[in-house]
Amino acid sequence: MSHFEQEVAELKETLLRMAATAKGVINKAVKALIERDDDLAREVEEEDDAIDRFEIEVDEKSVLLLSKAPLAKDLRLIIVALKTSHDLERVGDESVTIARRAIQLSKEPQLKEYMDIPRMTTMAIDMLDDALDAFVGADAAKAKAIIPRDKEVDALNKQMQRELAGYMVEDAKNITRCLHLMTISKSLERIADHAKNIAEEVVFLYEGRDIRHAANLGGGSQ
């Protein structure tokens, strides 16, 4: 393995460690909500700082590799690494939003059973896992199959928004809690959007095609 290839391998490893951290904070934020655990919620913000540091590390490694005039396939990898690290950083930010809302909700009686939120979380994390597996396995077909799944998360988010709006109409005392839950639902929908973005980036990496606006694959990036 050449020195350049070693540096590329290190870039990929950094990206995968960043992804593992991002998945961890999603789970931790939602667990904090379900278990009404403020200390756990505060840990999310601390771990988000680690994700930010990973993004800086990916940026620095990528700039260094770009200075070495890479071949087209390596150039695509560097571009995808930069885009993916940005998506993962945004996943961390959305997890912080969930954690902060969880702290606010823990101060009041629980409005409803949170069945849909764990379901949305599982769907979004599964999409993220599959996108990263496709990245590691050079599997563009698997990446393409992820993209339409984003619509399932979108539909569940819309369903939650309608249900929560109904609670607000029923009783004004529900409004604050409903608004927090609406924000959490929207954050999970955005996490799924970022997973879809990564899947699209994987297709670009291995097929050299930008499919972000291909209607037959479920629409463009958010």
Side-chain angles (χ1 to χ4, degrees):
M1 181 182 290
S2 69
H3 182 62
F4 182 82
E5 289 171 333
Q6 179 63 39
E7 289 179 309
V8 169
E10 288 174 4
L11 174 64
K12 291 170 75 174
E13 176 61 27
T14 301
L15 199 60
L16 292 173
R17 285 190 289 122
M18 183 181 184
T21 306
K23 288 190 295 178
V25 296
I26 302 167
N27 277 319
K28 189 168 283 191
V30 174
K31 185 177 181 182
L33 171 70
I34 302 301
E35 298 183 0
R36 302 169 73 82
D37 187 335
D38 290 0
D39 290 337
L40 191 61
R42 292 186 186 97
E43 287 179 20
V44 172
E45 195 151 7
E46 295 172 9
E47 292 186 27
D48 182 54
D49 291 340
I51 295 174
D52 293 342
R53 290 193 294 272
F54 272 125
E55 184 182 30
I56 291 168
E57 186 177 348
V58 169
D59 286 354
E60 290 173 346
K61 288 179 185 294
S62 298
V63 169
L64 183 62
L65 286 167
L66 285 170
S67 70
K68 298 183 178 181
L71 298 173
K73 65 181 180 64
D74 297 317
L75 181 59
R76 284 203 302 272
L77 174 62
I78 295 164
I79 291 169
V80 166
L82 287 165
K83 288 184 172 183
T84 299
S85 72
H86 177 69
D87 278 306
L88 292 171
E89 189 273 334
R90 295 297 300 143
V91 166
D93 289 346
E94 296 296 348
S95 299
V96 169
T97 295
I98 294 169
R100 288 175 177 169
R101 300 290 176 158
I103 290 171
Q104 295 301 314
L105 284 164
S106 72
K107 297 173 183 176
E108 301 185 54
Q110 187 166 323
L111 178 68
K112 55 167 280 186
E113 190 174 354
Y114 296 146
M115 290 189 306
D116 291 336
I117 289 172
R119 185 179 165 202
M120 284 182 73
T121 303
T122 298
M123 292 165 72
I125 290 178
D126 284 350
M127 287 175 65
L128 193 57
D129 271 332
D130 288 347
L132 293 163
D133 285 347
F135 171 71
V136 172
D139 192 340
K142 183 172 188 174
K144 289 177 196 173
I146 295 162
I147 296 164
R149 287 158 56 187
D150 181 55
K151 289 191 176 296
E152 298 171 24
V153 182
D154 290 347
L156 195 51
N157 173 55
K158 288 175 183 174
Q159 177 185 315
M160 275 199 68
Q161 302 291 334
R162 286 194 299 269
E163 181 184 358
L164 291 165
Y167 277 113
M168 289 193 289
V169 170
E170 286 173 13
D171 190 340
K173 293 177 183 176
N174 294 333
I175 290 175
T176 300
R177 285 174 292 173
C178 286
L179 289 174
H180 288 317
L181 289 168
M182 284 177 164
T183 299
I184 288 169
S185 178
K186 185 61 181 174
S187 285
L188 289 168
E189 188 264 337
R190 285 174 177 154
I191 288 170
D193 285 342
H194 290 299
K196 181 187 74 168
N197 291 348
I198 293 169
E200 292 170 340
E201 288 150 13
V202 170
V203 176
F204 171 71
L205 173 60
Y206 294 117
E207 293 190 351
R209 296 190 303 121
D210 185 342
I211 62 166
R212 288 175 296 173
H213 302 292
N216 64 325
L217 288 171
S221 302
Q222 297 293 320

